[in-house]
Amino acid sequence: MIPYIEDNVFVITKEDVYLYSKMQDLFKIIQKCDRVDSKTLLDNTFTWLSEDYGPYENANKLIIEFKDNSFIIKFYQNLNREFNIEDICSICFCLNGSKNQDIASAFSLMFLDFLKEYSNPNERILK
């Protein structure tokens, strides 16, 4: 686990062939499934408020921007959260009762694909 650092930035470029492809697929799903009443994608910037505990104004936030043929990922830890752990900025995509089930499921499937691609085949992925 990488500890949370304020002003964090992760950049995925075309050189990261596998992950870049997954992010392109994810953005296509977001564009297709985004809701008019609760937009998550504006001007090539996806914003997701964590769906874990408490009101959305106290939620951690994930922002993914597609800019200059790169995906720029940032995590924002909301210090007003009821349950804050200093070194963690968790983002929850609820798989049961999400504000946008299609987008939450797309992130979950991408994560599972990532585990399959990069896990040791001699170990069990999920225990």
Side-chain angles (χ1 to χ4, degrees):
M1 175 174 56
I2 300 171
Y4 176 75
I5 300 170
E6 198 170 331
D7 299 326
N8 61 77
V9 176
F10 303 91
V11 180
I12 299 170
T13 65
K14 287 184 176 183
E15 286 76 32
D16 304 312
V17 176
Y18 177 79
L19 195 51
Y20 189 87
S21 170
K22 290 294 181 185
M23 293 301 294
Q24 284 181 309
D25 294 344
L26 182 67
F27 259 56
K28 288 176 188 172
I29 292 169
I30 292 169
Q31 289 171 336
K32 178 182 172 188
C33 299
D34 210 9
R35 294 189 177 150
V36 175
D37 61 336
S38 59
K39 297 291 281 178
T40 60
L41 186 64
L42 297 169
D43 299 325
N44 288 327
T45 300
F46 170 75
T47 303
W48 189 266
L49 297 175
S50 184
E51 297 181 313
D52 51 0
Y53 304 105
Y56 284 131
E57 59 267 12
N58 293 342
N60 289 336
K61 184 176 10 176
L62 167 67
I63 295 180
I64 304 173
E65 179 182 14
F66 183 69
K67 182 179 179 182
D68 300 327
N69 286 319
S70 297
F71 292 94
I72 302 162
I73 302 171
K74 298 178 185 177
F75 294 88
Y76 295 92
Q77 185 184 65
N78 190 326
L79 298 177
N80 295 323
R81 286 190 62 212
E82 187 175 337
F83 304 105
N84 244 345
I85 300 173
E86 188 175 316
D87 290 345
I88 296 175
C89 183
S90 61
I91 303 295
C92 178
F93 294 87
C94 290
L95 297 180
N96 185 9
S98 174
K99 62 186 170 202
N100 191 317
Q101 195 63 57
D102 293 323
I103 292 174
S105 295
F107 268 90
S108 179
L109 290 172
M110 183 180 75
F111 176 72
L112 290 174
D113 285 346
F114 184 77
L115 281 178
K116 288 178 196 172
E117 182 72 17
Y118 291 103
S119 68
N120 183 340
N122 297 322
E123 295 179 9
R124 290 185 60 189
I125 294 173
L126 302 173
K127 296 180 182 179

